[in-house]
Amino acid sequence: MGRGERIEYKGAIYHVIQRGNNREYIFHNEIWKGYLIKIIKEMKARYNFKFFGYVIMDNHYHLIIQTLDIPISKIMHGINSRYGKYYNHNTKRIGPVFQNRYKGIIVEDERYLLGLLKYIHLNPVKAKMCSSIDQYKWSSDVFYRRNIKSLVDIDEVLDIMSVNRIEAIRKYIDFMDDEREDNNFSTEMFENAIAIGSSNFKGKLIMENDSKIMALDEILKEVCPTEEEYNLIKNASRKRYLTEYKISYIKKAREYNYSYSEIGNYIGISDAAVINLADK
């Protein structure tokens, strides 16, 4: 089940994901990535949020943010609008830099931060940009390994592992460098879920926000011009003229954080087909 409107409350922890428009490269070299870090540092000073981790890839980024007095929507508007202006100015282009709105997935509490950190730190390894987490420059991993207390708020995670900082760092490094369970840190768990946390926490979110949730059936009806198209798509018709309605259905469903498998199963197409249509 997906989420429509952004869930915001003081102290909420978010896994934020923002992709380039049409999944284009928006961080062309180290200067561009460094500028995003500069913006985040300035926004953190202005809006006073906790910053637990990040990774900056070539066409998207991940952040882990805990809000205090300022809502996540305002923080992300500040970050994305600044970078968007910088990008368009330097590429002599106009138009949106980022693909749709950012995705902000609620994290139940600090207990789930370590697993989430490993998931985002593994991004460049899975993309074959490096062979191990510690080799990638543009992530928060170095702050934890070297006990650097500046941009990233490392204390919450390390203190959970041990009150002895040297021991905590050793445990952190062992966890990040252990490759035996890397495949368990999946997109489905950390990007396509309604929340990152326990089943009880996820169920509570669904109950509290039930009035804001659109079912897949409702989404399909909304994007189809007539009942005929609705029935054809629901029954897995492959008529070519239906493609535009399928694309609208997929994009709308993704806004509600439905997974690719949930979206595809409802209209009888594969996860790969859903992803392919979502990119058009």
Side-chain angles (χ1 to χ4, degrees), residues 158-200:
L158 293 178
D159 286 349
I160 288 172
M161 305 191 79
S162 174
V163 293
N164 181 295
R165 185 49 56 95
I166 294 174
E167 177 68 10
I169 293 172
R170 185 190 65 77
K171 287 183 176 180
Y172 168 86
I173 292 173
D174 288 346
F175 180 72
M176 290 292 155
D177 292 351
D178 187 350
E179 299 178 4
R180 290 174 296 178
E181 296 186 5
D182 284 0
N183 290 332
N184 293 331
F185 295 89
S186 66
T187 300
E188 201 70 20
M189 180 186 303
F190 290 103
E191 289 193 34
N192 293 339
I194 182 174
I196 299 167
S198 64
S199 297
N200 287 340

Side-chain angles (χ1 to χ4, degrees), residues 47-275:
Y47 292 139
N48 187 33
F49 55 84
K50 288 190 175 182
F51 189 47
F52 296 126
Y54 68 90
V55 67
I56 307 173
M57 305 293 283
D58 292 337
N59 66 351
H60 72 284
Y61 66 76
H62 297 254
L63 310 177
I64 307 174
I65 289 175
Q66 183 176 28
T67 59
L68 298 173
D69 298 316
I70 305 300
I72 190 68
S73 54
K74 187 169 184 178
I75 294 168
M76 291 309 302
H77 174 74
I79 293 171
N80 283 345
S81 62
R82 281 275 306 278
Y83 189 80
K85 291 175 183 177
Y86 172 84
Y87 182 90
N88 282 342
H89 174 75
N90 282 279
T91 56
K92 305 292 190 292
R93 68 186 291 279
I94 58 174
V97 173
F98 296 106
Q99 179 177 300
N100 301 323
R101 63 179 185 171
Y102 65 91
K103 181 184 286 189
I105 304 167
I106 291 282
V107 182
E108 183 172 356
D109 55 40
E110 288 82 356
R111 292 174 298 166
Y112 295 90
L113 287 177
L114 188 62
L116 176 56
L117 271 171
K118 184 161 187 177
Y119 172 76
I120 69 171
H121 288 164
L122 276 170
N123 263 242
V125 177
K126 291 183 175 180
K128 302 189 185 307
M129 300 171 73
C130 56
S131 59
S132 61
I133 286 173
D134 63 306
Q135 291 179 350
Y136 192 68
K137 179 179 179 180
W138 297 101
S139 86
S140 50
D141 178 66
V142 66
F143 290 86
Y144 289 94
R145 287 180 189 264
R146 299 185 182 177
N147 197 34
I148 300 171
K149 298 182 180 182
S150 55
L151 175 65
V152 179
D153 297 294
I154 63 174
D155 288 343
E156 277 84 349
V157 171
L158 293 178
D159 286 349
I160 288 172
M161 305 191 79
S162 174
V163 293
N164 181 295
R165 185 49 56 95
I166 294 174
E167 177 68 10
I169 293 172
R170 185 190 65 77
K171 287 183 176 180
Y172 168 86
I173 292 173
D174 288 346
F175 180 72
M176 290 292 155
D177 292 351
D178 187 350
E179 299 178 4
R180 290 174 296 178
E181 296 186 5
D182 284 0
N183 290 332
N184 293 331
F185 295 89
S186 66
T187 300
E188 201 70 20
M189 180 186 303
F190 290 103
E191 289 193 34
N192 293 339
I194 182 174
I196 299 167
S198 64
S199 297
N200 287 340
F201 179 71
K202 294 176 185 177
K204 183 180 178 183
L205 282 182
I206 291 173
M207 289 180 63
E208 290 178 350
N209 295 275
D210 188 56
S211 62
K212 302 175 184 177
I213 296 169
M214 281 189 77
L216 288 172
D217 190 64
E218 294 174 308
I219 294 171
L220 184 58
K221 285 179 179 177
E222 183 178 280
V223 301
C224 290
T226 71
E227 191 171 345
E228 179 182 357
E229 284 80 14
Y230 163 79
N231 287 325
L232 285 170
I233 294 174
K234 191 172 180 181
N235 290 303
S237 171
R238 296 188 178 183
K239 291 181 182 291
R240 184 167 296 180
Y241 86 96
L242 298 172
T243 300
E244 63 175 297
Y245 308 124
K246 290 180 182 178
I247 292 172
S248 296
Y249 156 75
I250 289 166
K251 290 185 175 180
K252 182 80 171 178
R254 289 296 295 152
E255 288 181 5
Y256 281 83
N257 286 353
Y258 283 99
S259 68
Y260 292 120
S261 59
E262 289 173 322
I263 294 167
N265 286 339
Y266 187 73
I267 60 173
I269 62 176
S270 67
D271 294 9
V274 172
I275 294 169

